[in-house]
Amino acid sequence: MNRLRRTPIDVWFEPLIILVLGIGYVIWYRSTTLTSTEAASLGWDNLSTTIVEHIKLTLTSTAIVVLIAIPLGILLTREKAKSFKPVVINVANVGQAAPAVGLIVLLTMWLGTGFRTAVVGLVVYAILPILQNTIVGIDQVDKRTIEASRGIGYSGVRTLVQVELPLAVPVILNGVRTALVILVGTATLSTFIGATSLGTLITTGVTLFLPKLLISGAILVGLLALTIDWLRRLVELVATPRGVA
């Protein structure tokens, strides 16, 4: 009981919401009458492929964003590179400022259609939150803590790895959380350039005026976003050092 009280409320409450919404959707799905097109699109063979492709698109984009944004953010907190920080952030902000659909369409003119173009578009669109949070997380580490670690003989690299990054983990992971939510939702737009995603259900529902298909796509995207967010929260709990909020 005490352990449950110490557990953050979102860790157990969020999966409860996911479960309730998931059960509600299944009950609705089994009790409603579907057209042949809806039944074909929502059949498990097609639906499982669509969900897997959406997850693959989201996770691939996230992995690339993390591999680019976190090292770049760390670099921009070093004294020799700090002068480049405003320029890099402004460049990264271009992706957020541009409409997602317009960005993806412009990339299509350059790279063609398909999975690769969708990934590039999503990476450009979601790089800012992780980059900015990495910079903020490291910059907010108490300078006295850094000086103390250097005073006991830690090198700059060791101080970064064992002091600065662990203390910045909660802020960095909040950036990852924001990027993931953005990517799960924005990945639906990849259907416009020939990449399979849950957006296919939504666009088909709109085009053919099949509201049940549209509702299913929206609910499944929401459930996927909540599930990924919850898993990210678990990673944050494990990765954050004890005593760091």
Side-chain angles (χ1 to χ4, degrees):
M1 190 68 178
N2 290 332
R3 187 175 181 180
L4 181 62
R5 288 175 181 172
R6 291 196 300 268
T7 303
I9 187 170
D10 57 328
V11 173
W12 59 265
F13 189 67
E14 194 165 16
L16 183 62
I17 294 174
I18 295 168
L19 185 62
V20 170
L21 289 175
I23 291 174
Y25 173 71
V26 171
I27 293 173
W28 172 81
Y29 174 79
R30 290 185 174 276
S31 61
T32 193
T33 303
L34 302 175
T35 65
S36 57
T37 302
E38 290 170 336
S41 298
L42 296 175
W44 180 243
D45 289 340
N46 288 332
L47 188 59
S48 60
T49 301
T50 303
I51 293 173
V52 168
E53 288 300 316
H54 194 104
I55 293 173
K56 188 189 300 182
L57 186 60
T58 301
L59 295 184
T60 301
S61 304
T62 302
I64 295 173
V65 170
V66 167
L67 289 174
I68 294 173
I70 292 180
L72 183 58
I74 292 171
L75 178 63
L76 292 174
T77 61
R78 305 301 94 183
E79 287 298 329
K80 292 182 180 180
K82 278 188 175 181
S83 59
F84 297 101
K85 190 190 301 182
V87 176
V88 175
I89 290 179
N90 284 331
V91 171
N93 193 44
V94 171
Q96 283 282 295
V101 176
L103 180 62
I104 290 175
V105 170
L106 286 175
L107 287 171
T108 303
M109 297 172 64
W110 174 36
L111 299 172
T113 59
F115 183 86
R116 182 185 63 172
T117 304
V119 168
V120 173
L122 291 173
V123 168
V124 172
Y125 197 66
I127 197 168
L128 182 63
I130 301 179
L131 175 64
Q132 205 162 34
N133 277 46
T134 301
I135 294 171
V136 170
I138 294 176
D139 280 347
Q140 74 176 14
V141 175
D142 194 331
K143 302 305 177 188
R144 291 171 298 181
T145 304
I146 297 173
E147 290 171 4
S149 68
R150 298 305 299 271
I152 61 174
Y154 279 21
S155 66
V157 174
R158 189 176 180 185
T159 299
L160 172 66
V161 173
Q162 295 189 5
V163 178
E164 294 179 76
L165 283 177
L167 292 173
V169 160
V171 180
I172 294 173
L173 286 179
N174 275 332
V176 175
R177 175 184 191 176
T178 302
L180 274 169
V181 172
I182 290 172
L183 288 170
V184 171
T186 310
T188 58
L189 300 175
S190 65
T191 186
F192 292 115
I193 59 169
T196 304
S197 71
L198 287 169
T200 305
L201 301 181
I202 296 173
T203 54
T204 303
V206 171
T207 304
L208 302 180
F209 192 65
L210 299 171
K212 294 174 184 176
L213 198 57
L214 173 60
I215 291 170
S216 294
I219 291 174
L220 290 172
V221 170
L223 287 172
L224 183 59
L226 286 171
T227 302
I228 290 178
D229 181 64
W230 176 62
L231 292 174
R232 192 275 330 160
R233 182 70 174 104
L234 294 181
V235 171
E236 180 182 337
L237 283 177
V238 173
T240 302
R242 290 187 178 183
V244 178

